[in-house]
Amino acid sequence: MPVAKGKTLEAAFEELDETIAALEDPDVTLDESLKLYQQGIKLLKFCNDSIDKVEKKIIELKTEDEENDI
């Protein structure tokens, strides 16, 4: 299942929590576990990419602010 483009970081974290909880269920089959694991990896990548974008934007804004103060 691909991660939706319009998903917020908060929604992705919530979905990741649900995926982890599902993986911890002892009744989940091996096949289901593999699908959940793959979904979790995609969500984790989405979260990391989103956080990286925010960090880059903060650095840009900070640099712009410092340049304007000169």
Side-chain angles (χ1 to χ4, degrees), residues 54-68:
V54 170
E55 287 175 342
K56 287 177 185 175
K57 186 63 178 176
I58 289 171
I59 290 169
E60 285 177 23
L61 292 171
K62 192 173 182 181
T63 303
E64 287 176 12
D65 188 45
E66 289 171 357
E67 288 174 356
N68 290 334

Side-chain angles (χ1 to χ4, degrees), residues 44-58:
L44 190 57
K45 183 179 179 339
F46 174 83
C47 292
N48 285 333
D49 290 347
S50 296
I51 290 170
D52 286 346
K53 287 178 187 176
V54 170
E55 287 175 342
K56 287 177 185 175
K57 186 63 178 176
I58 289 171

Side-chain angles (χ1 to χ4, degrees), residues 25-53:
D25 183 347
D27 294 328
V28 173
T29 66
L30 183 58
D31 188 47
E32 291 171 327
S33 292
L34 179 59
K35 289 176 185 175
L36 288 167
Y37 177 79
Q38 290 172 328
Q39 177 183 347
I41 293 298
K42 289 177 184 177
L43 287 164
L44 190 57
K45 183 179 179 339
F46 174 83
C47 292
N48 285 333
D49 290 347
S50 296
I51 290 170
D52 286 346
K53 287 178 187 176

